[in-house]
Amino acid sequence: MMLKAALNGNRSSQENPAVPTTPEHLAQDAKAAVALGIGAIHVHPRDVGGLESLHWSDIELAIVTIRQACPDVPIGISTREGITATVTQRFELVCGWRNSLDFASVNFHEEGSAAVARKLIGMGIGVEAGLFTAEGAENLVASGLAEQCLRIMLEPIDESVDDALRTVNTTERILDDSKISNPSRLLHGFDTTAWPMLVEAKKRGYDSRVGLEDTLFLPDGSAAKSNVELVKCATHLLAD
């Protein structure tokens, strides 16, 4: 089971002072996480003003800095909507990326996702197909790209565990009915479902992820002090 560290997402230091936004802080957290057994790093690079960015200059600075600290661990970023003002702008920025980036997540419920994923694959950048909803699974199947993706990520955004599991099961049924055989699957939740989905991923034999992007709290409900603390809790849970 591979555990990925999602270090920051679109979180801010106002939500938790430990959220890393600079390349140096991201590299520091990544190095500590890798030392604990993390197998991949996922980050949302920021510009000089601290805002999420898809500009290659901002991405490259973050990737180079992290890679110096963690030379042998795959590093990926997000292409989520909201980072850019329009779908067209997102696609144009992606066209300027280089394949020194290992992978990028593409949320298939978002407009223009198939075009972005197809472009990334053509550039030699791995694609994590993010499936938040059943609609995302249907869009992935329709794109014909499922088997070319690095992995399929099951990312239910439901607030309750029961609803999240229903979404995951519906999503997988769509994939199975379409005979999608991509074996690399990752399951994780957000906030209230983060820890239950980690346990569920272990039950299903899937990869998972942990970090301040997904939750600001430990399993006991107390505030997390750092990404490292979250990773330690996750590794202990998975070892039980």
Side-chain angles (χ1 to χ4, degrees):
M1 178 180 185
M2 188 272 290
L3 188 62
K4 179 172 64 174
L7 299 179
N8 61 350
N10 65 346
R11 306 274 193 186
S12 69
S13 57
Q14 282 70 44
E15 295 176 86
N16 186 311
V19 172
T21 56
T22 67
E24 293 76 19
H25 194 176
L26 287 167
Q28 175 186 322
D29 278 17
K31 183 175 182 179
V34 169
L36 293 170
I38 285 295
I41 301 294
H42 172 77
V43 300
H44 290 223
R46 310 297 175 93
D47 62 19
V48 293
L51 298 177
E52 292 177 86
S53 174
L54 295 185
H55 289 272
W56 180 250
S57 58
D58 297 318
I59 295 169
E60 185 175 39
L61 180 58
I63 297 302
V64 168
T65 306
I66 296 169
R67 186 157 281 134
Q68 287 174 343
C70 313
D72 301 317
V73 176
I75 304 167
I77 68 171
S78 174
T79 64
R80 76 169 188 88
E81 64 181 4
I83 298 179
T84 58
T86 66
V87 174
T88 299
Q89 184 185 27
R90 177 177 65 173
F91 184 78
E92 289 175 348
L93 286 172
V94 167
C95 289
W97 292 3
R98 301 173 194 165
N99 64 5
S100 53
L101 180 65
D102 295 308
F103 62 88
S105 63
V106 179
N107 301 326
F108 269 79
H109 65 282
E110 297 175 354
E111 183 182 357
S113 57
V116 169
R118 190 171 289 107
K119 181 63 179 179
L120 289 169
I121 291 169
M123 296 166 68
I125 297 172
V127 169
E128 294 184 308
L131 306 184
F132 287 53
T133 62
E135 179 190 4
E138 292 168 350
N139 290 344
L140 176 62
V141 170
S143 75
L145 298 172
E147 306 294 357
Q148 299 177 55
C149 290
L150 174 66
R151 65 178 63 91
I152 293 173
M153 293 198 298
L154 306 169
E155 307 179 89
I157 56 175
D158 309 271
E159 294 185 4
S160 78
V161 174
D162 287 344
D163 286 344
L165 288 173
R166 273 192 285 271
T167 295
V168 170
N169 291 335
T170 299
T171 298
E172 293 214 292
R173 188 158 53 248
I174 291 169
L175 298 176
D176 292 344
D177 288 348
S178 301
K179 297 182 170 49
I180 301 301
S181 61
N182 188 324
S184 183
R185 298 194 182 181
L186 184 152
L187 169 62
H188 76 96
F190 296 99
D191 297 319
T192 55
T193 67
W195 296 108
M197 289 304 103
L198 179 74
V199 173
E200 184 67 22
K202 180 184 177 181
K203 289 180 183 177
R204 297 187 183 212
Y206 292 169
D207 295 333
S208 192
R209 79 179 201 185
V210 68
L212 289 169
E213 173 172 357
D214 293 345
T215 182
L216 301 175
F217 298 94
L218 302 176
D220 64 5
S222 60
K225 297 177 182 177
S226 65
N227 275 304
V228 173
E229 189 173 32
L230 290 172
V231 172
K232 285 181 179 178
C233 283
T235 54
H236 289 157
L237 273 176
L238 295 175
D240 290 341

